[in-house]
Amino acid sequence: MSEEEKQNATKHSHLSKKKSELPASQEQEDQGTGKVDAAEQDLKTSGNEINHELEQSEQRKKDHKEDKGHKDRIDVGDQNNQKNRLEKNAKNVQDDSNAAPSNQSVDSSAPSSDQESKAITSTNAPDTQASDSSASAAQQDPQHEEQSPPKSSTGDEKEKAEKAPAKERPARTPRNAKTEEKEPEEPSPNQPLFEQLLEDLKHDISEQAVQTSSINRKNGHLLTLTIEPEHWLATANWFKEHPQWQCNYLRNLSGVDQESYLEVVYHLIGLTTKSEVAIHVKAEREAPSIPSVTPIWATANWNEREVYDLLGIHFTGHPNLSRIMMPDQWVGHPLRKDYEPIDSEV
């Protein structure tokens, strides 16, 4: 086989190969075109749906505006009708009140004969009955218009209602006007002992020994006395030595700043007699001084030093009255309400 024949055969094979490839490429192209057409169709369908939804929303908005406008028109119409009814009623009431005096004058000038008066009243019955009823209503209730103000939401009627004179309201009765009588308290179980104690102190110490006295019901009916400072030392000895009391134990001693004065509170207990009493002793604020009970109850030693240190109360007769908590060079007494520290940072 010659070279030309070989070349022709090669060309022929190439051509046949290309021809066989052409339908496959054409088929692929046709498939791509179909996909594009389907995508375009989907886009058109979705676009139509969106446009339809937009049109429906616009229609709903339009319908809502029309309904609102119709409702506003109905409300305005109702207000106007209500205003017209109120004005008509007010005019009728005013006409009836103006017609009342004329009807009264006609009745006073009526003839004396019964027949003529009956004839007149029978002919004028409808008018006179209406006018008399309105006139009587106006006379019985002259403040009818004031008591029933027009119920309208318009601006003019609101201004009239605001300018109308305010009615005087009756004063309210105070809550505590009805004073309930309190039931008398039952006598304290320590009342006999309390009265006997006061009698004994007046007899044994002095008539002026006790300033005030009470029974502290909230604290177990504790007997509480306020003793004069000059009689305190003798009273303390009396409570310790008296056979009925025998207060041989000082449970507590504390100082109190009452602003206008200072005081010391003692709680005494009789361990054998089971007796208990609270004693208050007052002192002046400028130069507070109270007799010391350390010689009677040794437990008062450090308690009195603490009260002196923090409140500045002097206990005359104390064996060693010195500061117990603050330094000796400290100025002032920290628990007094008028205390002002020299150094605010301390």
Side-chain angles (χ1 to χ4, degrees), residues 68-86:
K68 186 176 180 182
H70 181 66
K71 185 177 180 181
D72 293 339
R73 288 193 296 272
I74 292 174
D75 293 339
V76 172
D78 292 340
Q79 291 178 1
N80 293 331
N81 293 333
Q82 185 178 8
K83 182 179 178 181
N84 294 331
R85 286 196 301 270
L86 292 172

Side-chain angles (χ1 to χ4, degrees), residues 135-152:
S136 61
Q139 291 177 358
Q140 291 177 1
D141 193 2
Q143 297 180 352
H144 177 71
E145 295 180 359
E146 295 180 359
Q147 292 181 359
S148 58
K151 297 181 181 179
S152 175

Side-chain angles (χ1 to χ4, degrees), residues 170-181:
R172 293 182 179 178
T173 56
R175 294 182 179 179
N176 297 329
K178 297 180 180 179
T179 57
E180 297 181 356
E181 296 182 359

